[in-house]
Amino acid sequence: MARTCVGIVGAGPAGLVLAHLLADHGVECVVLEQKSRAYVEKRVRAGLLEHRTVALLDERGLAERLRAEGQVHRGVELRFAGERHRIPYTELYGGREMVVYAQQELVADLIGLWLARGGELAFEAEDVSLHGIDGERPELRWRAAGRDERLACEFVAGCDGYHGVSRGAVPDGVLRVHELALPFAWVGVLAAVAPSTEEIIYAHHADGFAGHMLRSAAVSRFYLQTTPDDPIERWPDGRIWEELARRLATRDGWKLREGPVLEKNVTDMRSFVVEPMQFGRLFLAGDAAHIVPPTGAKGLNLAVADARVLADALAARVRRNDPAPLEAYSATCLRRVWRVQEFSSWMTWLIHRLPAELPDRELRERLQRAQLEYLFASRAAMASFAENYVGIEGF
Ligand code: APR
């Protein structure tokens, strides 16, 4: 049976960054991924990197293409009642910048660099299962090319996302599950059109939120608020452009470019956290342990932050026989996870149209307006937004 120190389930941002950082520490690991390389390198997801995510990737020599092709951002635009309000977050938060770089590009870089440094990664690992995670010698089993495979590990990292198997391997009743479905959903659109803006736009509108995100010079990402049960079939391309143009419209006549829709889907919104993020020798990281509403684009950055804490903690345990950081892994991450959950939830309720069935809706709309007006009028409020949006240090 093959042996390693850390068996990593999932080759998303959490699993791949963890693998690289463990290797930097001289800790052996193997990554198992159920999908093919081509699939994971093309899967469109997030794309906004916090200052500290970029700093970590830079520091570890993983950011060459990101630096060459990513777009540096220093501010974001919020639109309300047809007015534009820029939040210069770099100026407000110590010169910290963000980078727009598509998640699938980052995943492709991390995979390429991992294989180039001789890292082990099994794609198309079917039916991965976890065994003995509450004992001294956990084991991963899977099928590959019709053959049964087994891997003896000292530790297992569950980096297989919300729908993965790792979290399910924890016995019932051990994890405290916090889950809240938000009464909003997004129609996500990827279009082959040059962006109509240099900075990300979040627009509050009476017909619902609209977002103009960026991906590259030729491809743009848009989001439109809808209801959780709304089928994508109800969003023909023509309606999408019409809604985007109306909801993003400004008094100064800003124009939206239109182009061919490459992809569109409806995603629901929820806050999800499991506590603790560890059981025995299994450690959960990224979406396997928590999901944040996509509003603040925090999911990817949280996954990378977990991977960093876990890599350092595993290295302390394996290389220096110091168990303390690993014992504190969950508490360390959850402090940041709840900070980000709170900010993402607050921002979601701030810029979305409130659902018709919400009790005291009119009063809550007034409160929402008051919050927005305060945000645009107060440098202190903007600075608080900036530090949370960019990624608050110390959490
Ligand atoms: N066996 C092996 N691999 C699995 C299994 C399984 N049973 N289930 C899922 N996986 C793989 C998925 O195919 C995916 O490549 O685990 C990986 C999990 O990656 P992500 O879902 O990207 O999760 P994570 O690394 O935590 O990154 C979170 O990614 O999805 C975005 O919005 C999310 O930005 C957030 C970030």
Side-chain angles (χ1 to χ4, degrees):
M1 178 174 11
R3 293 186 178 288
T4 191
C5 181
V6 184
I8 300 174
V9 186
L16 292 164
V17 170
L18 177 62
H20 277 285
L21 300 190
L22 285 173
D24 290 348
H25 280 297
V27 175
E28 254 190 52
C29 62
V30 171
V31 184
L32 304 182
E33 167 57 49
Q34 67 176 355
K35 300 286 186 188
S36 68
R37 182 175 182 178
Y39 180 90
V40 293
E41 292 187 351
K42 289 275 170 291
R43 181 175 42 200
V44 174
R45 289 259 182 88
L48 181 62
L49 307 180
E50 288 179 348
H51 170 84
R52 58 186 163 190
T53 300
V54 177
L56 174 68
L57 296 169
D58 255 338
E59 185 191 301
R60 299 309 174 93
L62 303 169
E64 195 180 325
R65 196 162 74 99
L66 180 161
R67 279 297 183 199
E69 298 175 15
Q71 301 155 21
V72 173
H73 281 231
R74 299 182 180 84
V76 65
E77 185 175 303
L78 272 65
R79 294 185 176 181
F80 179 58
E83 298 297 339
R84 309 164 68 161
H85 304 273
R86 182 169 185 267
I87 299 188
Y89 51 68
T90 297
E91 184 194 312
L92 289 163
Y93 194 37
R96 294 175 179 83
E97 299 165 337
M98 301 185 83
V99 173
V100 166
Y101 188 61
Q103 178 168 327
Q104 69 271 23
E105 302 302 336
L106 177 62
V107 164
D109 295 347
L110 294 172
I111 290 171
L113 292 163
W114 178 244
L115 298 176
R117 69 187 294 178
E120 284 193 66
L121 203 175
F123 287 106
E124 298 173 70
E126 295 163 24
D127 308 328
V128 172
S129 56
L130 291 68
H131 306 266
I133 52 176
D134 55 351
E136 304 282 306
R137 302 223 46 77
E139 199 181 296
L140 294 175
R141 297 181 193 157
W142 69 102
R143 285 183 64 74
R147 271 166 30 119
D148 289 331
E149 303 283 356
R150 297 170 67 177
L151 178 69
C153 320
E154 286 181 54
F155 303 97
V156 174
C159 303
D160 46 354
Y162 181 78
H163 301 287
V165 288
S166 299
R167 195 175 60 251
V170 180
D172 291 349
V174 170
L175 299 177
R176 174 87 179 77
V177 178
H178 304 275
E179 185 148 20
L180 175 67
L182 296 172
F184 314 112
W186 274 358
V187 176
V189 179
L190 194 70
V193 62
S196 307
T197 174
E198 286 179 4
E199 293 184 330
I200 291 174
I201 301 170
Y202 295 92
H204 176 288
H205 190 276
D207 299 336
F209 161 77
H212 184 335
M213 312 307 168
L214 292 106
R215 281 293 177 270
S216 71
V219 173
S220 297
R221 186 107 172 111
F222 302 94
Y223 295 107
L224 283 161
Q225 176 183 353
T226 185
T227 53
D229 51 8
D230 192 13
I232 192 63
E233 294 70 32
R234 293 193 56 242
W235 288 89
D237 298 358
R239 180 184 176 203
I240 286 173
W241 291 115
E242 205 190 293
E243 289 283 339
L244 282 170
R246 196 177 59 257
R247 298 185 194 186
L248 290 165
T250 61
R251 292 186 205 290
D252 63 7
W254 174 87
K255 281 276 169 281
L256 174 69
R257 290 196 192 94
E258 300 185 11
V261 170
L262 301 171
E263 263 185 50
K264 55 185 175 185
N265 57 19
V266 174
T267 43
D268 64 3
M269 282 197 185
R270 77 195 109 119
S271 294
F272 169 82
V273 180
V274 293
E275 297 177 322
M277 290 169 57
Q278 61 193 93
F279 171 72
R281 295 212 170 198
L282 169 64
F283 298 84
L284 301 174
D287 282 13
H290 42 71
I291 299 277
V292 283
T295 318
K298 293 292 179 194
L300 166 59
N301 297 289
L302 268 183
V304 172
D306 288 351
R308 176 180 208 150
V309 175
L310 186 52
D312 294 348
L314 284 165
R317 172 70 174 68
V318 172
R319 313 277 299 164
R320 303 191 302 277
N321 207 14
D322 171 7
L326 204 51
E327 283 155 9
Y329 166 70
S330 183
T332 307
C333 291
L334 285 169
R335 186 165 172 273
R336 178 179 5 88
V337 169
W338 284 114
R339 168 92 298 284
V340 169
Q341 284 287 359
E342 193 279 325
F343 173 70
S344 302
S345 174
W346 171 83
M347 190 177 170
T348 303
W349 283 97
L350 181 73
I351 57 174
H352 282 73
R353 186 193 61 207
L354 302 181
E357 65 282 1
L358 197 69
D360 314 315
R361 181 162 180 260
E362 221 176 315
L363 180 142
R364 291 168 186 270
E365 278 181 341
R366 298 278 187 288
L367 294 175
Q368 192 189 46
R369 171 184 280 273
Q371 269 190 330
L372 284 161
E373 287 170 353
Y374 170 61
L375 177 60
F376 305 144
S378 154
R379 200 157 170 84
M382 271 199 192
S384 169
F385 178 97
E387 66 181 5
N388 280 284
Y389 189 76
V390 171
I392 187 169
E393 303 290 348
F395 274 79

